[in-house]
PDB file of all heavy atoms in Angstrom:
ATOM      1  N   PHE A  24       1.422  19.507 -17.436  1.00  0.00           N
ATOM      2  CA  PHE A  24       0.240  19.236 -18.249  1.00  0.00           C
ATOM      3  C   PHE A  24      -0.695  20.428 -18.229  1.00  0.00           C
ATOM      4  O   PHE A  24      -0.855  21.106 -17.220  1.00  0.00           O
ATOM      5  CB  PHE A  24      -0.504  18.006 -17.725  1.00  0.00           C
ATOM      6  CG  PHE A  24       0.101  16.694 -18.175  1.00  0.00           C
ATOM      7  CD1 PHE A  24       0.860  15.934 -17.312  1.00  0.00           C
ATOM      8  CD2 PHE A  24      -0.083  16.247 -19.461  1.00  0.00           C
ATOM      9  CE1 PHE A  24       1.414  14.748 -17.710  1.00  0.00           C
ATOM     10  CE2 PHE A  24       0.465  15.060 -19.880  1.00  0.00           C
ATOM     11  CZ  PHE A  24       1.212  14.306 -18.998  1.00  0.00           C
ATOM     12  N   SER A  25      -1.326  20.669 -19.369  1.00  0.00           N
ATOM     13  CA  SER A  25      -2.294  21.753 -19.412  1.00  0.00           C
ATOM     14  C   SER A  25      -3.517  21.427 -18.564  1.00  0.00           C
ATOM     15  O   SER A  25      -4.212  22.318 -18.104  1.00  0.00           O
ATOM     16  CB  SER A  25      -2.706  22.027 -20.871  1.00  0.00           C
ATOM     17  OG  SER A  25      -3.254  20.855 -21.440  1.00  0.00           O
ATOM     18  N   GLU A  26      -3.795  20.140 -18.364  1.00  0.00           N
ATOM     19  CA  GLU A  26      -4.864  19.741 -17.463  1.00  0.00           C
ATOM     20  C   GLU A  26      -4.410  18.520 -16.673  1.00  0.00           C
ATOM     21  O   GLU A  26      -3.662  17.681 -17.165  1.00  0.00           O
ATOM     22  CB  GLU A  26      -6.145  19.420 -18.246  1.00  0.00           C
ATOM     23  CG  GLU A  26      -5.987  18.353 -19.316  1.00  0.00           C
ATOM     24  CD  GLU A  26      -7.276  18.145 -20.085  1.00  0.00           C
ATOM     25  OE1 GLU A  26      -7.769  19.145 -20.643  1.00  0.00           O
ATOM     26  OE2 GLU A  26      -7.779  17.023 -20.100  1.00  0.00           O
ATOM     27  N   THR A  27      -4.808  18.467 -15.415  1.00  0.00           N
ATOM     28  CA  THR A  27      -4.353  17.402 -14.535  1.00  0.00           C
ATOM     29  C   THR A  27      -4.953  16.065 -14.951  1.00  0.00           C
ATOM     30  O   THR A  27      -6.145  15.970 -15.235  1.00  0.00           O
ATOM     31  CB  THR A  27      -4.750  17.714 -13.073  1.00  0.00           C
ATOM     32  OG1 THR A  27      -4.175  18.967 -12.716  1.00  0.00           O
ATOM     33  CG2 THR A  27      -4.226  16.630 -12.139  1.00  0.00           C
ATOM     34  N   VAL A  28      -4.095  15.037 -15.000  1.00  0.00           N
ATOM     35  CA  VAL A  28      -4.546  13.693 -15.324  1.00  0.00           C
ATOM     36  C   VAL A  28      -4.256  12.793 -14.138  1.00  0.00           C
ATOM     37  O   VAL A  28      -3.098  12.671 -13.704  1.00  0.00           O
ATOM     38  CB  VAL A  28      -3.832  13.153 -16.587  1.00  0.00           C
ATOM     39  CG1 VAL A  28      -4.290  11.731 -16.876  1.00  0.00           C
ATOM     40  CG2 VAL A  28      -4.124  14.059 -17.770  1.00  0.00           C
ATOM     41  N   VAL A  29      -5.282  12.175 -13.584  1.00  0.00           N
ATOM     42  CA  VAL A  29      -5.129  11.300 -12.427  1.00  0.00           C
ATOM     43  C   VAL A  29      -5.083   9.851 -12.904  1.00  0.00           C
ATOM     44  O   VAL A  29      -5.906   9.430 -13.714  1.00  0.00           O
ATOM     45  CB  VAL A  29      -6.309  11.487 -11.446  1.00  0.00           C
ATOM     46  CG1 VAL A  29      -6.167  10.547 -10.258  1.00  0.00           C
ATOM     47  CG2 VAL A  29      -6.377  12.935 -10.983  1.00  0.00           C
ATOM     48  N   PRO A  30      -4.083   9.055 -12.454  1.00  0.00           N
ATOM     49  CA  PRO A  30      -4.031   7.643 -12.844  1.00  0.00           C
ATOM     50  C   PRO A  30      -5.321   6.930 -12.457  1.00  0.00           C
ATOM     51  O   PRO A  30      -5.867   7.133 -11.370  1.00  0.00           O
ATOM     52  CB  PRO A  30      -2.839   7.105 -12.044  1.00  0.00           C
ATOM     53  CG  PRO A  30      -2.012   8.313 -11.746  1.00  0.00           C
ATOM     54  CD  PRO A  30      -2.972   9.441 -11.578  1.00  0.00           C
ATOM     55  N   GLU A  31      -5.831   6.096 -13.353  1.00  0.00           N
ATOM     56  CA  GLU A  31      -7.107   5.435 -13.134  1.00  0.00           C
ATOM     57  C   GLU A  31      -6.963   3.968 -12.760  1.00  0.00           C
ATOM     58  O   GLU A  31      -7.958   3.302 -12.482  1.00  0.00           O
ATOM     59  CB  GLU A  31      -7.973   5.568 -14.397  1.00  0.00           C
ATOM     60  CG  GLU A  31      -8.315   7.021 -14.728  1.00  0.00           C
ATOM     61  CD  GLU A  31      -9.164   7.133 -15.986  1.00  0.00           C
ATOM     62  OE1 GLU A  31      -9.376   6.092 -16.652  1.00  0.00           O
ATOM     63  OE2 GLU A  31      -9.608   8.245 -16.295  1.00  0.00           O
ATOM     64  N   SER A  32      -5.731   3.444 -12.802  1.00  0.00           N
ATOM     65  CA  SER A  32      -5.553   2.037 -12.471  1.00  0.00           C
ATOM     66  C   SER A  32      -4.145   1.791 -11.971  1.00  0.00           C
ATOM     67  O   SER A  32      -3.251   2.622 -12.151  1.00  0.00           O
ATOM     68  CB  SER A  32      -5.818   1.164 -13.703  1.00  0.00           C
ATOM     69  OG  SER A  32      -4.822   1.423 -14.684  1.00  0.00           O
ATOM     70  N   ILE A  33      -3.949   0.627 -11.337  1.00  0.00           N
ATOM     71  CA  ILE A  33      -2.614   0.250 -10.882  1.00  0.00           C
ATOM     72  C   ILE A  33      -1.662   0.144 -12.069  1.00  0.00           C
ATOM     73  O   ILE A  33      -0.491   0.512 -11.986  1.00  0.00           O
ATOM     74  CB  ILE A  33      -2.674  -1.099 -10.130  1.00  0.00           C
ATOM     75  CG1 ILE A  33      -3.520  -0.952  -8.850  1.00  0.00           C
ATOM     76  CG2 ILE A  33      -1.266  -1.566  -9.782  1.00  0.00           C
ATOM     77  CD1 ILE A  33      -2.970   0.028  -7.845  1.00  0.00           C
ATOM     78  N   GLU A  34      -2.172  -0.314 -13.216  1.00  0.00           N
ATOM     79  CA  GLU A  34      -1.336  -0.454 -14.406  1.00  0.00           C
ATOM     80  C   GLU A  34      -0.770   0.890 -14.845  1.00  0.00           C
ATOM     81  O   GLU A  34       0.393   1.008 -15.218  1.00  0.00           O
ATOM     82  CB  GLU A  34      -2.140  -1.093 -15.543  1.00  0.00           C
ATOM     83  CG  GLU A  34      -2.424  -2.580 -15.380  1.00  0.00           C
ATOM     84  CD  GLU A  34      -3.461  -2.866 -14.291  1.00  0.00           C
ATOM     85  OE1 GLU A  34      -4.243  -1.930 -13.955  1.00  0.00           O
ATOM     86  OE2 GLU A  34      -3.466  -3.984 -13.772  1.00  0.00           O
ATOM     87  N   GLU A  35      -1.624   1.931 -14.807  1.00  0.00           N
ATOM     88  CA  GLU A  35      -1.158   3.256 -15.202  1.00  0.00           C
ATOM     89  C   GLU A  35      -0.097   3.777 -14.245  1.00  0.00           C
ATOM     90  O   GLU A  35       0.863   4.432 -14.658  1.00  0.00           O
ATOM     91  CB  GLU A  35      -2.332   4.233 -15.277  1.00  0.00           C
ATOM     92  CG  GLU A  35      -3.266   3.984 -16.448  1.00  0.00           C
ATOM     93  CD  GLU A  35      -4.331   5.056 -16.567  1.00  0.00           C
ATOM     94  OE1 GLU A  35      -4.258   6.037 -15.800  1.00  0.00           O
ATOM     95  OE2 GLU A  35      -5.213   4.916 -17.409  1.00  0.00           O
ATOM     96  N   ILE A  36      -0.259   3.498 -12.948  1.00  0.00           N
ATOM     97  CA  ILE A  36       0.733   3.926 -11.972  1.00  0.00           C
ATOM     98  C   ILE A  36       2.064   3.232 -12.224  1.00  0.00           C
ATOM     99  O   ILE A  36       3.123   3.832 -12.196  1.00  0.00           O
ATOM    100  CB  ILE A  36       0.235   3.642 -10.541  1.00  0.00           C
ATOM    101  CG1 ILE A  36      -0.996   4.508 -10.227  1.00  0.00           C
ATOM    102  CG2 ILE A  36       1.335   3.901  -9.520  1.00  0.00           C
ATOM    103  CD1 ILE A  36      -1.669   4.163  -8.925  1.00  0.00           C
ATOM    104  N   ARG A  37       2.033   1.950 -12.503  1.00  0.00           N
ATOM    105  CA  ARG A  37       3.247   1.177 -12.713  1.00  0.00           C
ATOM    106  C   ARG A  37       3.987   1.592 -13.988  1.00  0.00           C
ATOM    107  O   ARG A  37       5.199   1.414 -14.098  1.00  0.00           O
ATOM    108  CB  ARG A  37       2.909  -0.311 -12.779  1.00  0.00           C
ATOM    109  CG  ARG A  37       2.531  -0.900 -11.425  1.00  0.00           C
ATOM    110  CD  ARG A  37       2.057  -2.330 -11.592  1.00  0.00           C
ATOM    111  NE  ARG A  37       1.734  -2.931 -10.306  1.00  0.00           N
ATOM    112  CZ  ARG A  37       1.061  -4.082 -10.155  1.00  0.00           C
ATOM    113  NH1 ARG A  37       0.655  -4.738 -11.240  1.00  0.00           N
ATOM    114  NH2 ARG A  37       0.819  -4.546  -8.961  1.00  0.00           N
ATOM    115  N   LEU A  38       3.255   2.138 -14.946  1.00  0.00           N
ATOM    116  CA  LEU A  38       3.901   2.535 -16.198  1.00  0.00           C
ATOM    117  C   LEU A  38       4.908   3.664 -15.996  1.00  0.00           C
ATOM    118  O   LEU A  38       5.878   3.767 -16.714  1.00  0.00           O
ATOM    119  CB  LEU A  38       2.848   2.966 -17.224  1.00  0.00           C
ATOM    120  CG  LEU A  38       2.073   1.844 -17.906  1.00  0.00           C
ATOM    121  CD1 LEU A  38       0.967   2.428 -18.765  1.00  0.00           C
ATOM    122  CD2 LEU A  38       3.009   0.998 -18.756  1.00  0.00           C
TER     123      LEU A  38
END
Side-chain angles (χ1 to χ4, degrees):
F24 279 104
S25 58
E26 57 183 57
T27 302
V28 178
V29 179
E31 297 180 354
S32 66
I33 296 298
E34 287 72 21
E35 289 186 6
I36 294 172
R37 288 174 178 167
L38 283 173

